[in-house]
Amino acid sequence: MMLYKYMEALEDARQSVRIDRAFVKGYVREGKCHLALGDHIAAGRSYQQVLMLEPENNAAKADLALADRVQKFEEMAEVDYQKGDFRKVLYCMERCIEQCPACMKFRIRKAEVLALLGRYQESQEFANDILHKDGMNADAIHVRGMCLYYQDNIDKAFQHFQQVLRLAPDHQQAKEIYRKAKALIAKKEEGNKEFRSGNLQAAYNLYTEALAIDPNNKFTNSKLYFNRATVGSKLNRVEEAIADCTRAVDLDDTYIKAYLRRAKCYMETEQYEDAVRDYEKILKLDKSQENKRLLQDAKLELKKSKRKDYYKILGVTKTASVDEIKKAYRKRALVHHPDRHSHDSPDVQKEEEKKFKEVGEAYSVLSDERKKSRYDSGADLDELEGGAGFDFGVDPNQIFQTFFTGGGGPGFSFGGPQNTAPGGFTFQFG
């Protein structure tokens, strides 16, 4: 036992009690060997035999409690494994291995759940340690195949699964994962083929089907979520594309393509703060000039988004012509002019006056080529060359009067009771 040769020690202990059926120390050693090898039921029988011979043997009572504890942890692990709670399984296996250091079953299960938790290097180390002692251990080869499969090394994974099935044709886990691996790769390729052919909805459906095949394959599923996000964005399902990219990076936090796709979607939906965060993450992963430029562009759009949106205020696009801007100003200015709301409540009058002023600001900037250019570029308007700047204290009524009278022409009639505008010209509101 001190040399960790538990199978040989177990045989010696068995022989000792065959010679002397009342040999308590022999039964104790037999129980310890059984427990070290993971057979808690056989260990329990040995300790029970000790207690039949020596009912007050406290050491045997303690060892029997350990055997019962291992049994409970093994049962808990099986329930948690079926639930997919692999962290709890790992905890249970570690507790079992503490008492059963020579049990291959527990070590194999620990290696397996490490792979399912994405801790591939640790899993492979456990599997390799087992194979070092038993080069033909089908379970350990199966675990190595799992690690390769989950790391998207499909060809080598298939070789391992095939080797397992040659050694143990009825190995159910290897059969199941091999079947899933082949189905997953085939479905993914079908989706890629439809995407390349321009059949976007068909590709979207196939990627969705592929994602249901093996939830444990994080790297492949990360790529599938990204592929579906790419299709979703082309189908104008931008929010769905963002959600799929998020799932992709949750599975692989170094997946630059998924961050780039999500950041692009954020830009399209004017979620600039989120876009900046993604581009900052991207730049940490890849400090290329292109990624620096993308981050700068996102920061500029974020800065611009925090200012008043003069295009939105006038209800025009960024490509609107001068005539379209004038037409939009005319429409909005007449809607929000204070005289039109002279009979409204003070709160409404105050709100309309604010909107009237914003309409004047928007027109003053967008109708001036130099100001519009700086506004579009994200530059501050009060930094115009020559110190001209933009006076946001400009009288919106003066802009209104100048626009509608040409600086002293005829008034503008709406029809209805007459009102006199601050500029001294007459309006009739219906």
Side-chain angles (χ1 to χ4, degrees):
M1 289 177 66
M2 297 295 287
L3 291 170
Y4 306 108
K5 296 180 179 181
Y6 293 103
M7 289 300 298
E8 295 176 34
L10 176 61
E11 184 53 38
D12 283 344
R14 282 173 169 169
Q15 186 63 20
S16 73
V17 296
R18 288 192 193 105
I19 294 171
D20 181 357
R21 296 293 181 182
F23 187 29
V24 171
K25 286 187 178 181
Y27 288 117
V28 170
R29 288 289 182 271
E30 183 185 61
K32 288 184 180 294
C33 289
H34 279 309
L35 189 58
L37 291 165
D39 191 344
H40 52 77
I41 295 175
R45 286 197 296 265
S46 296
Y47 295 132
Q48 291 287 0
Q49 188 67 34
V50 172
L51 293 173
M52 285 178 63
L53 295 168
E54 294 184 359
E56 300 305 318
N57 190 314
N58 290 327
K61 290 179 181 179
D63 287 343
L64 180 59
L66 287 178
D68 290 341
R69 188 165 180 255
V70 169
Q71 180 178 358
K72 289 178 182 177
F73 275 122
E74 185 176 14
E75 291 171 352
M76 287 169 54
E78 185 58 34
V79 172
D80 291 328
Y81 187 88
Q82 296 303 321
K83 291 180 180 178
D85 192 344
F86 302 124
R87 283 184 172 81
K88 285 188 178 179
V89 178
L90 179 61
Y91 173 81
C92 291
M93 288 299 99
E94 287 175 341
R95 301 293 78 75
C96 289
I97 291 170
E98 287 173 358
Q99 305 303 326
C100 313
C103 178
M104 288 297 104
K105 176 178 64 175
F106 294 151
R107 297 179 75 82
I108 287 290
R109 180 52 62 94
K110 179 178 179 178
E112 181 185 356
V113 295
L114 282 170
L116 292 169
L117 289 169
R119 294 162 62 175
Y120 305 118
Q121 184 174 349
E122 295 174 72
S123 176
Q124 287 178 318
E125 287 173 359
F126 256 80
N128 290 338
D129 183 55
I130 294 167
L131 288 169
H132 181 70
K133 298 170 184 175
D134 178 8
M136 303 301 284
N137 188 298
D139 292 323
I141 297 170
H142 167 249
V143 169
R144 283 182 55 178
M146 286 176 62
C147 292
L148 292 165
Y149 165 55
Y150 290 146
Q151 292 177 96
D152 209 25
N153 193 339
I154 301 301
D155 291 339
K156 284 190 176 181
F158 281 3
Q159 291 173 12
H160 279 66
F161 297 144
Q162 289 162 358
Q163 184 179 0
V164 172
L165 294 174
R166 283 195 295 270
L167 292 170
D170 294 327
H171 198 291
Q172 290 301 317
Q173 287 178 297
K175 282 183 178 181
E176 180 64 16
I177 197 169
Y178 191 24
R179 181 192 64 77
K180 283 184 178 180
K182 290 193 291 185
L184 182 59
I185 300 308
K187 191 68 70 175
K188 179 185 173 186
E189 287 304 316
E190 283 184 63
N192 293 346
K193 182 179 178 181
E194 294 294 345
F195 177 76
R196 287 191 293 268
S197 300
N199 301 323
L200 299 181
Q201 188 58 55
Y204 189 95
N205 294 341
L206 285 164
Y207 291 141
T208 301
E209 291 173 20
L211 283 163
I213 292 173
D214 188 357
N216 294 319
N217 193 320
K218 295 181 179 180
F219 279 109
T220 300
N221 287 341
S222 180
K223 291 179 180 179
L224 286 167
Y225 277 122
F226 168 73
N227 288 358
R228 195 171 73 171
T230 301
V231 175
S233 66
K234 291 182 179 295
L235 291 170
N236 295 320
R237 302 178 189 173
V238 182
E239 290 301 328
E240 289 182 27
I242 290 172
D244 275 346
C245 286
T246 299
R247 295 184 185 102
V249 298
D250 284 345
L251 294 173
D252 179 5
D253 63 0
T254 64
Y255 198 178
I256 291 180
K257 284 185 177 181
Y259 283 116
L260 284 168
R261 172 63 63 183
R262 187 171 70 175
K264 186 170 185 267
C265 290
Y266 281 142
M267 293 292 285
E268 290 174 0
T269 53
E270 300 182 1
Q271 300 178 63
Y272 299 121
E273 290 185 359
D274 292 320
V276 167
R277 278 194 292 270
D278 272 357
Y279 284 127
E280 286 175 341
K281 174 72 174 180
I282 291 163
L283 192 59
K284 286 181 182 178
L285 295 170
D286 179 14
K287 300 183 183 300
S288 69
Q289 289 299 317
E290 175 63 13
N291 291 337
K292 286 182 182 178
R293 183 189 66 78
L294 289 169
L295 176 58
Q296 290 170 352
D297 290 347
K299 286 182 175 180
L300 177 59
E301 291 301 322
L302 175 60
K303 177 184 175 183
K304 288 161 67 174
S305 71
K306 293 183 180 298
R307 308 178 309 176
K308 291 179 182 178
D309 188 340
Y310 290 140
Y311 291 102
K312 188 175 291 186
I313 288 171
L314 288 185
V316 297
T317 66
K318 293 181 180 181
T319 58
S321 65
V322 174
D323 286 341
E324 288 172 328
I325 290 170
K326 286 181 178 180
K327 183 178 179 181
Y329 170 73
R330 180 185 294 112
K331 179 180 178 181
R332 294 297 174 104
L334 293 176
V335 168
H336 299 298
H337 194 283
D339 286 351
R340 187 172 209 128
H341 302 278
S342 58
H343 299 297
D344 290 330
S345 67
D347 287 343
V348 171
Q349 289 182 24
K350 186 176 180 180
E351 182 63 24
E352 293 299 326
E353 185 177 352
K354 177 184 174 183
K355 290 180 179 178
F356 180 65
K357 182 178 179 181
E358 289 178 340
V359 168
E361 289 178 6
Y363 176 71
S364 180
V365 171
L366 300 184
S367 63
D368 183 300
E369 185 177 343
R370 192 159 60 128
K371 292 176 185 176
K372 182 176 183 296
S373 176
R374 288 188 64 81
Y375 176 79
D376 288 343
S377 69
D380 294 328
L381 294 171
D382 58 1
E383 296 176 358
L384 283 167
E385 293 181 7
F390 175 59
D391 180 10
F392 286 106
V394 67
D395 184 356
N397 290 297
Q398 185 178 355
I399 297 174
F400 186 85
Q401 180 179 355
T402 302
F403 184 87
F404 280 101
T405 67
F412 191 91
S413 174
F414 290 91
Q418 290 190 346
N419 288 276
T420 303
F425 51 98
T426 302
F427 295 92
Q428 293 181 344
F429 297 98

